[in-house]
């Protein structure tokens, strides 16, 4: 069957992979739309140390159930629109023992540690298939990245008395903005792109700050009566934004780290102690985060079309990835359309 492969640094092709055989307890999915994410871009650029080449990328899925194996619950039936929980969990490590399966020590994510969803069909255990209600497959491809942002807000224990600074207004950051606003927090969105900041306001941000052109420290003090934000969610993954998070968060605040910095990061560690900070990692998402995103998208208030930068056919994917690599700041999501069966 048709599949997109990343062969080596800056080498992507449309090729083929063998069909998977459906076993008991498994579900066969027809891919409809699959999103390229930041980890796929890192893989393409040769900057993802967790990937073994060649790899089929993709873990942001909108699909239709084609068939189910024996023993699959009746709630999963052919022709249902679904998305996918792309993470594995071993059930034995400390994270799994503590019920935080999203942070499994031995996790293998589709498109990263194992071949992903950029193919015509995919077989998965039924537990990883999530019914998407009334959503279209195209919208379903946005669920997974937004759920990562939703999970970060849960990790921050955000309430309606918090000021929350979200650094980075990509898809994950947008998910954090939505969820923090849903919880009644005052949300400040920070990015270097004014178009993304404008969209962040539509998603629920009360304030925005351009970190390239504005005095971030002064603006944040102005917005918070001199205190600084109670919560800072880092959704970029760079040394400067990690440092900004620790420097700008209020005394006794919470810093939530989503992004993977590509280099070592130096901190003024005195802030850790003087501010008595809670610094927490946030990895992947829990099943409840997926359900919450689906519930949000079903309301129809999300500007879905503005979050999808481009839809391409599988044959067009290599050129689209090359263009994204050249202008990474201008893309929310590129979706690959697998609905054409010719």
């Amino acid at each position: 069957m048709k599949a997109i492969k990343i062969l080596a640094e800056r080498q992507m092709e449309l090729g083929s992979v063998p069909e998977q055989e459906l076993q008991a307890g498994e579900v066969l999915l027809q891919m409809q739309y699959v999103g390229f994410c930041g980890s796929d871009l890192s893989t393409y650029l040769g900057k993802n140390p967790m990937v073994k080449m060649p790899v089929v990328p993709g873990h942001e899925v909108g699909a239709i159930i084609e068939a189910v194996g024996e023993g699959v619950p009746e709630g999963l039936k052919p022709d249902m629109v679904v998305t996918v929980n792309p993470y594995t969990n071993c059930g034995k490590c400390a994270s799994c023992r503590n019920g935080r399966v999203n942070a499994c020590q031995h996790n293998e994510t589709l498109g990263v540690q194992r071949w992903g969803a950029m193919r015509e069909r995919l077989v998965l255990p039924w537990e990883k298939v999530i019914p998407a209600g009334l959503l279209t497959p195209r919208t379903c491809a946005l669920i997974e990245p937004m759920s990562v942002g939703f999970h970060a807000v849960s990790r921050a224990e955000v309430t309606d008395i918090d000021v929350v600074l979200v650094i980075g207004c990509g898809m994950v950051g947008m998910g954090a903005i939505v969820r923090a606003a849903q919880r009644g927090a005052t949300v400040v969105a920070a990015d270097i792109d004014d178009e993304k900041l404008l969209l962040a306001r539509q998603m629920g941000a009360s304030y925005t700050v351009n970190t390239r052109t504005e005095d971030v420290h002064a603006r944040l003090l102005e917005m918070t009566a001199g205190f600084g934000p109670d919560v800072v969610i880092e959704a970029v993954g760079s040394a400067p934004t990690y440092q900004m998070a620790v420097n700008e968060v209020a005394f006794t605040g919470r810093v939530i780290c989503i992004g993977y910095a590509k280099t070592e990061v130096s901190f003024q560690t005195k802030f850790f102690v003087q501010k008595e900070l809670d610094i927490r990692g946030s990895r992947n998402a829990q099943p409840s985060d997926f359900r919450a995103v689906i519930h949000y998208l079903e309301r129809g208030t999300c500007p879905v079309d503005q979050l999808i930068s481009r839809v391409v056919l599988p044959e067009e994917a290599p050129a689209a990835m090359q263009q994204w690599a050249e202008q990474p700041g201008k893309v929310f999501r590129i979706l690959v359309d697998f609905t054409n069966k010719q």
Side-chain angles (χ1 to χ4, degrees), residues 261-309:
K262 306 302 186 295
T263 61
E264 292 185 358
V265 184
S266 298
F267 294 103
Q268 291 287 339
T269 54
K270 67 178 183 180
F271 289 150
F272 293 20
V273 178
Q274 289 179 347
K275 291 186 176 182
E276 200 174 54
L277 297 181
D278 288 338
I279 300 177
R280 306 175 185 178
S282 182
R283 184 182 179 193
N284 299 332
Q286 290 271 23
S288 59
D289 300 308
F290 282 84
R291 294 196 302 271
V293 172
I294 291 170
H295 182 64
Y296 161 66
L297 290 172
E298 283 181 326
R299 297 176 185 174
T301 58
C302 178
V304 169
D305 290 341
Q306 295 183 61
L307 296 174
I308 299 173
S309 305

Side-chain angles (χ1 to χ4, degrees), residues 4 19 76 78 93 125 140 142 261 270 276 281 298 308:
I4 295 166
E19 295 279 358
L76 296 174
C93 70
C140 284
L142 304 180
K270 67 178 183 180
E276 200 174 54
E298 283 181 326
I308 299 173

Side-chain angles (χ1 to χ4, degrees), residues 234 238-248 264-267 271:
E234 199 287 334
S238 73
T241 51
Y242 262 83
Q243 291 162 345
M244 181 188 300
V246 171
N247 293 345
E248 300 300 341
E264 292 185 358
V265 184
S266 298
F267 294 103
F271 289 150

Side-chain angles (χ1 to χ4, degrees), residues 42-63:
S42 293
T43 299
Y44 177 75
L45 294 173
K47 297 180 179 179
N48 192 338
M50 295 182 288
V51 171
K52 182 179 180 181
M53 301 289 195
V55 67
V56 175
H59 56 255
E60 302 174 357
V61 173

Side-chain angles (χ1 to χ4, degrees), residues 134-180:
L134 302 176
L135 299 181
T136 66
R138 181 172 174 268
T139 299
C140 284
L142 304 180
I143 292 172
E144 191 274 341
M146 293 193 76
S147 73
V148 176
F150 272 47
H151 182 66
V153 172
S154 295
R155 290 284 292 143
E157 301 178 280
V158 170
T159 73
D160 58 354
I161 63 172
D162 288 321
V163 176
V164 179
L165 170 65
V166 178
I167 306 174
C169 294
M171 277 296 302
V172 171
M174 289 296 186
I177 289 167
V178 169
R179 194 55 163 167

